[in-house]
């Protein structure tokens, strides 16, 4: 169940008429499973963003790209510090048929999984194929690197397979949506500093808290620290002053409110989907900060 702060209901509501001019008239399903992904609220966030977007869309913590694929804007800059992730998006955009052909050749079983997990191909298409294979066959679709930058998620087993990537047309539809889209390996600050009036930025960083700085689950070999949270808030507020509409998903953690004052968070709640058994899925609470240019002096 999703809960909204009462005074913000109109922000993510569904009553306004949308000008679809900056968008293609479709949305597509993301091709990646991603920890902390926003599929569960992508429709509402995409609607909120579409009311404000008149120029370029920025997503500097790309991950599974659920919001981008819900929007399918014609002008977008998508970035992440994960070079393998961005390479996968580039290859899906530019060489979807090669990706599909390569995936079809791979066996899905425990022995094959661990063999492929150990490989480190140099060819960029092969790296993307490996990335997609692991994403679709690893336990829970989790992406996790150890301190040495090595993927270390165990085999998922069961019905996990990359087959739906071509069977359901996920790769081809994603490739179409990504045509003409800028993709970059970059720290968030560099990309966000490019935004101007009429742009929209959506940020979904790894959630880190002050007291948990060194114990938070790692999705990359480098943690997103509390100092990064502070830096993100400063960069976001600077973008706001340039006339950029900014949305930031984050942990339900009160000290974050001080970083984005006077903007109050929308409070959300959902069930974690990491565990296979529903009885072990705990409720996760989150904030979304909506930074609106016309609400500042």
């Amino acid at each position: 169940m999703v809960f909204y702060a009462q005074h913000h209901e109109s922000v993510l509501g569904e009553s306004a008429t949308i000008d679809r001019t900056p968008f293609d008239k479709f949305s597509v399903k993301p091709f990646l499973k991603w920890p902390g992904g926003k599929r569960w609220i992508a429709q509402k966030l995409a609607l909120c963003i579409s009311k404000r977007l008149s120029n370029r869309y920025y997503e500097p913590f790309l991950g599974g790209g659920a919001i981008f694929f819900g929007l399918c804007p014609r002008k977008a800059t998508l970035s992440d510090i994960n070079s393998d992730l961005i390479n996968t998006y580039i290859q899906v955009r530019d060489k979807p048929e090669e990706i599909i052909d390569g995936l079809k050749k791979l066996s899905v079983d425990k022995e094959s999984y661990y063999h492929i997990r150990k490989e480190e191909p140099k060819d960029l298409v092969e790296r993307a194929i490996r990335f997609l294979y692991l994403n679709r066959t690893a336990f829970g679709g989790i992406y996790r690197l150890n301190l040495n930058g090595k993927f270390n998620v165990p085999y998922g087993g069961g019905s996990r397979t990359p087959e739906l990537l071509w069977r359901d047309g996920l790769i081809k539809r994603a490739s179409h949506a990504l045509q003409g889209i800028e993709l970059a390996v970059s720290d968030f600050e560099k990309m966000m500093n490019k935004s101007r009036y009429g742009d929209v930025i959506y940020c979904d960083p790894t959630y880190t808290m002050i007291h948990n700085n060194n114990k938070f689950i790692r999705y990359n070999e480098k943690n997103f620290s509390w100092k990064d949270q502070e830096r993100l808030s400063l960069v976001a507020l600077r973008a706001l002053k340039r006339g950029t509409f900014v949305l930031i998903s984050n942990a339900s953690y009160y000290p974050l409110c001080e970083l984005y004052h006077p903007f109050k968070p929308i409070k959300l709640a959902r069930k974690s989907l990491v565990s296979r058994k529903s009885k072990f899925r705990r409720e996760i609470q989150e904030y979304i900060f909506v930074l609106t240019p016309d609400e500042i002096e």
Side-chain angles (χ1 to χ4, degrees):
M1 185 175 182
V2 181
F3 304 94
Y4 299 96
Q6 185 175 0
H7 64 287
H8 275 303
E9 284 181 353
S10 61
V11 176
L12 298 183
E14 299 182 1
S15 58
T17 301
I18 304 170
D19 178 7
R20 299 295 295 181
T21 303
F23 310 94
D24 287 330
K25 295 182 179 180
F26 68 93
S27 62
V28 302
K29 188 175 181 180
F31 61 90
L32 288 173
K33 294 285 187 180
W34 204 252
K38 292 298 180 288
R39 294 188 191 208
W40 59 284
I41 198 172
Q43 185 177 7
K44 286 185 177 293
L45 288 183
L47 181 64
C48 174
I49 291 168
S50 67
K51 297 172 187 177
R52 292 282 184 167
L53 182 62
S54 60
N55 191 24
R56 179 170 290 271
Y57 173 71
Y58 288 85
E59 193 166 339
F61 301 89
L62 181 55
I67 309 305
F68 166 77
F69 286 118
L71 278 169
C72 289
R74 294 184 182 137
K75 294 172 64 177
T77 296
L78 309 177
S79 57
D80 201 284
I81 61 169
N82 186 327
S83 58
D84 274 337
L85 174 70
I86 294 300
N87 174 63
T88 299
Y89 274 91
I90 291 172
Q91 303 311 320
V92 165
R93 181 191 65 189
D94 299 344
K95 300 178 179 179
E97 295 294 347
E98 290 184 42
I99 294 290
I100 292 171
D101 290 344
L103 285 168
K104 286 181 177 180
K105 296 174 183 177
L106 300 178
S107 300
V108 180
D109 55 69
K110 190 172 184 179
E111 182 179 357
S112 298
Y113 175 86
Y114 285 107
H115 175 74
I116 292 169
R117 196 181 78 166
K118 287 192 299 184
E119 291 184 334
E120 295 186 5
K122 301 297 183 184
D123 180 80
L124 294 180
V125 174
E126 291 297 324
R127 290 188 72 86
I129 291 169
R130 173 184 178 271
F131 191 98
L132 288 165
Y133 175 89
L134 294 176
N135 180 258
R136 286 291 172 176
T137 56
F139 173 75
I142 295 170
Y143 182 88
R144 184 184 65 207
L145 303 180
N146 61 25
L147 290 174
N148 296 318
K150 306 295 184 182
F151 187 82
N152 64 354
V153 181
Y155 178 54
S159 61
R160 296 193 60 77
T161 170
E163 182 181 357
L164 80 169
L165 292 175
W166 60 86
R167 184 194 69 200
D168 297 351
L170 299 187
I171 293 292
K172 289 187 177 180
R173 291 192 182 107
S175 178
H176 180 61
L178 289 165
Q179 295 304 305
I181 300 302
E182 180 184 8
L183 289 157
V185 179
S186 177
D187 175 76
F188 66 87
E189 184 171 358
K190 180 179 178 181
M191 293 295 106
M192 291 175 67
N193 282 343
K194 294 182 177 182
S195 75
R196 295 294 180 265
Y197 179 85
D199 293 342
V200 172
I201 299 174
Y202 173 65
C203 298
D204 187 21
T206 300
Y207 302 162
T208 308
M209 305 176 201
I210 292 175
H211 66 277
N212 212 16
N213 227 11
N214 297 316
K215 296 180 181 178
F216 201 84
I217 296 172
R218 295 175 185 271
Y219 297 147
N220 295 292
E221 60 269 31
K222 181 182 178 181
N223 267 358
F224 191 80
S225 68
W226 182 254
K227 287 186 177 180
D228 289 322
Q229 290 279 17
E230 293 175 324
R231 184 164 60 98
L232 174 59
S233 68
L234 293 174
V235 174
L237 291 169
R238 287 203 302 266
L240 179 70
K241 291 179 180 179
R242 296 193 299 269
T244 301
F245 181 67
V246 185
L247 292 93
I248 300 174
S249 294
N250 224 311
S252 178
Y253 185 54
Y254 186 75
L256 288 167
C257 298
E258 298 177 6
L259 299 182
Y260 294 99
H261 180 79
F263 296 94
K264 296 180 180 180
I266 301 172
K267 297 179 181 180
L268 307 175
R270 65 179 177 88
K271 287 287 188 179
S272 169
L273 299 178
V274 173
S275 175
R276 287 174 175 169
K277 297 182 179 180
S278 58
K279 65 180 180 180
F280 295 122
R281 292 174 183 170
R282 62 187 177 88
E283 183 177 88
I284 296 175
Q285 295 187 352
E286 300 185 4
Y287 283 162
I288 292 184
F289 293 92
V290 181
L291 281 56
T292 309
D294 53 13
E295 291 185 15
I296 62 171
E297 296 182 357

